[in-house]
Amino acid sequence: MNQYWSFHHWQKYSPPFWTLLIASALLRIGLILYSEWHDARSVVKYTDVDYRVFSDAARFLFHPSEGNVARVSLTKTLSLNVGNPYNRETYRYTPLLAALLLPNELVHASFGKYLFAACDLVNGVLIHRLLVTSILSQSTRTPGSDKAKPLDRQRRSEDTENITVADAKAWATFLAATHLLNPLVFSISTRGSSESILCTLVLLTLYYALHHQWDAAAVMLGISTHWKIYPVIYGVSCVTALAAQTRPTTGWGLAFAKSLVCTRTLRFGFLSAGTFFLLGAFCYAIWGHPFLYEAYLYHTDRLDHRHNFSPYFYLTYLTYPSPSGSSDDHALSLMQRLLRSPLTSLVPQLSLSLGTGMLLGRSTQDLPFAWFVQTFAFVLFNRVCTSQYFLWYTLFLPLLASRVRFSWWGVVVWAGVQAVWLAEAYKLEFLGENVFFGLWLRSLLYVGGHAWVLGNIMEGYAFGVTQ
């Protein structure tokens, strides 16, 4: 099926975007109502355990008491009576999330799920708008015109030169549907995971960047990084794209390094970092060190021995301190301590994430692809990786569909290595079998398989050259 047929096919058969949006909303409302019915009748809950953590944190925040109160100078100065959400064990998020979920206490216990589902819909709207106004507009023509802008300057075809604005809108609706109707997306939000809020912040950052509203993009990047630290990697590709607009250079020598330092890039960095630190200072002034440690510093010494897709879990499991404390770092070899250290995984992770951002972000229109690759590499080499992390990079796939030659083999490998891992994890989680070593081998297969998929996507991408 060529791309021309796809555009015209979806113009003829696809529903209006608002119909898709309403259907997506009804689907999510139905699942949330079902979750309430299911959880009341089943031992195995539909609702994610994280949602209970969020709700408990909101309860701690709303009901300060002796032993549960923010005891920092700002609350004393302003006579604020605020609880401490970090009294809820395992709450390791910004306190702003707990504040957003206060209606769980005041209105309804499922308010947070509806909020996360609403962010899903907002994300669908943003994807649609990005496609129509920034991405597919590169290849559209108005009816009656003789020429169309090329989809990219490396890959032209007679098919794409016949794409009309109506075709592009229909195609954008279909691509937005791949996000809105994605089971991974709507199951995560309706089960009570907050990832959709972060996705909204990231998409808003990208929206402003592609529309050359760099001040707004910088502020949104600062907010995104406050919400969860990993979006900081996008700053590299943003600065590279902004520098390319200001001082176009070729190659990677001294001239390129100098181009990264100019008034516009410094302004972007100042606004972004300033927003991040202002939000952090505000939260620190109220909740103090618990906020700083749980939201950020915890991840620098986190020892997660629970099985997850990452192969790092196994060595942590083998060297994890016993409850009696008989096992400690002194009993481990230097190599074991280095491999177990959470900081060790940052070397390949940040090298690839930041390096690809600089390599692929030299054109503003390539930012969606650069962010996809950066995020994929970040997740792939992260010390802890669960299925919801995949949402961080699959978010960008609808924005790349018009410029990437996807292979069905890539889909098969991407899903297949996960299925192989999950089959072994089932034996450990539900049958209690000691299959840690086999699970570790499958984790290595996961890394190799997903790395192959990423390489194929990068090879099949058509770079643009226009700003």
Side-chain angles (χ1 to χ4, degrees):
M1 182 178 67
N2 62 36
Q3 192 178 56
Y4 171 71
W5 186 90
S6 300
F7 274 78
H8 288 271
H9 174 78
W10 286 104
Q11 181 189 1
K12 183 177 180 180
Y13 296 107
S14 67
F17 179 67
W18 63 266
T19 304
L20 169 65
L21 210 57
I22 292 174
S24 301
L26 292 175
L27 171 64
R28 285 161 172 79
I29 291 172
L31 286 172
I32 293 171
L33 293 175
Y34 167 75
S35 73
E36 296 174 2
W37 178 88
H38 177 94
D39 289 352
R41 291 165 175 79
S42 176
V43 175
V44 180
K45 305 300 183 183
Y46 179 89
T47 300
D48 193 294
V49 66
D50 282 347
Y51 188 71
R52 300 189 183 94
V53 174
F54 303 154
S55 299
D56 290 346
R59 187 177 303 114
F60 276 113
L61 186 65
F62 186 67
H63 296 291
S65 61
E66 185 176 356
N68 172 39
V69 63
R71 300 181 181 277
V72 182
S73 58
L74 181 61
T75 57
K76 295 178 180 179
T77 301
L78 301 179
S79 300
L80 297 177
N81 193 21
V82 180
N84 183 9
Y86 298 105
N87 279 345
R88 196 337 176 160
E89 189 178 358
T90 74
Y91 182 76
R92 298 187 174 96
Y93 308 87
T94 171
L96 301 184
L97 175 58
L100 277 180
L101 296 191
L102 286 177
N104 278 18
E105 288 290 299
L106 301 171
V107 181
H108 193 275
S110 293
F111 170 84
K113 294 182 181 179
Y114 287 105
L115 174 64
F116 303 153
C119 286
D120 270 352
L121 302 182
V122 172
N123 296 338
V125 172
L126 286 170
I127 288 172
H128 187 266
R129 291 298 300 164
L130 281 165
L131 287 166
V132 171
T133 63
S134 299
I135 297 173
L136 296 180
S137 61
Q138 296 292 325
S139 61
T140 59
R141 64 174 175 83
T142 57
S145 65
D146 295 328
K147 295 183 179 180
K149 297 178 182 179
L151 186 64
D152 61 81
R153 296 190 181 184
Q154 295 181 9
R155 186 181 299 157
R156 300 185 185 209
S157 71
E158 293 180 359
D159 292 337
T160 57
E161 289 180 355
N162 289 319
I163 298 169
T164 66
V165 173
D167 293 331
K169 288 183 178 180
W171 187 236
T173 298
F174 168 72
L175 293 176
T178 65
H179 177 82
L180 288 170
L181 302 181
N182 184 338
L184 178 66
V185 174
F186 63 68
S187 63
I188 284 177
S189 61
T190 57
R191 292 185 66 220
S193 174
S194 65
E195 297 300 333
S196 59
I197 296 181
L198 177 64
C199 290
T200 301
L201 298 174
V202 168
L203 284 175
L204 281 171
T205 307
L206 182 60
Y207 181 88
Y208 287 125
L210 291 184
H211 287 80
H212 304 285
Q213 300 178 39
W214 288 105
D215 287 353
V219 171
M220 290 308 307
L221 181 60
I223 297 173
S224 301
T225 305
H226 169 82
W227 201 266
K228 189 163 285 188
I229 196 68
Y230 87 86
V232 71
I233 63 178
Y234 304 144
V236 172
S237 48
C238 284
V239 167
T240 304
L242 193 54
Q245 287 183 2
T246 308
R247 298 178 182 176
T249 58
T250 58
W252 300 95
L254 183 60
F256 171 74
K258 288 182 177 180
S259 72
L260 296 178
V261 182
C262 63
T263 302
R264 297 182 71 188
T265 58
L266 291 175
R267 179 185 178 93
F268 180 90
F270 176 79
L271 285 174
S272 181
T275 302
F276 171 77
F277 285 113
L278 280 175
L279 286 172
F282 171 77
C283 294
Y284 183 82
I286 297 177
W287 292 282
H289 187 264
F291 152 72
L292 193 62
Y293 177 78
E294 298 293 351
Y296 302 118
L297 300 181
Y298 164 78
H299 299 282
T300 64
D301 58 8
R302 177 181 183 180
L303 293 178
D304 196 327
H305 69 292
R306 297 290 295 174
H307 54 280
N308 62 82
F309 286 105
S310 171
Y312 287 108
F313 90 92
Y314 188 55
L315 184 60
T316 303
Y317 165 74
L318 292 177
T319 59
Y320 199 76
S322 66
S324 63
S326 58
S327 175
D328 55 36
D329 281 351
H330 297 292
L332 304 176
S333 68
L334 176 61
M335 180 60 67
Q336 286 178 316
R337 278 181 281 171
L338 286 174
L339 291 176
R340 193 181 75 165
S341 171
L343 297 178
T344 301
S345 62
L346 289 177
V347 176
Q349 185 182 36
L350 291 186
S351 297
L352 289 170
S353 298
L354 300 180
T356 53
M358 188 172 294
L359 176 67
L360 305 175
R362 301 189 71 166
S363 173
T364 304
Q365 70 183 63
D366 291 323
L367 283 180
F369 179 67
W371 288 19
F372 168 81
V373 174
Q374 286 183 274
T375 314
F376 199 123
F378 186 92
V379 171
L380 182 60
F381 292 96
N382 199 36
R383 192 168 188 81
V384 178
C385 179
T386 60
S387 295
Q388 69 184 43
Y389 289 16
F390 300 149
L391 186 61
W392 296 355
Y393 61 80
T394 58
L395 175 70
F396 301 111
L397 285 177
L399 305 177
L400 305 180
S402 64
R403 298 181 64 185
V404 174
R405 289 173 178 165
F406 290 105
S407 166
W408 283 110
W409 277 112
V411 178
V412 170
V413 172
W414 184 83
V417 294
Q418 294 177 56
V420 170
W421 185 92
L422 289 168
E424 194 75 355
Y426 173 82
K427 298 177 184 178
L428 175 64
E429 187 71 21
F430 293 96
L431 304 181
E433 298 180 11
N434 186 356
V435 292
F436 280 97
F437 182 74
L439 195 59
W440 176 69
L441 293 179
R442 285 158 176 78
S443 294
L444 296 178
L445 181 66
Y446 150 78
V447 172
H450 279 212
W452 180 85
V453 170
L454 178 58
N456 273 264
I457 293 176
M458 294 176 69
E459 185 179 6
Y461 179 74
F463 284 94
V465 294
T466 60
Q467 297 288 329

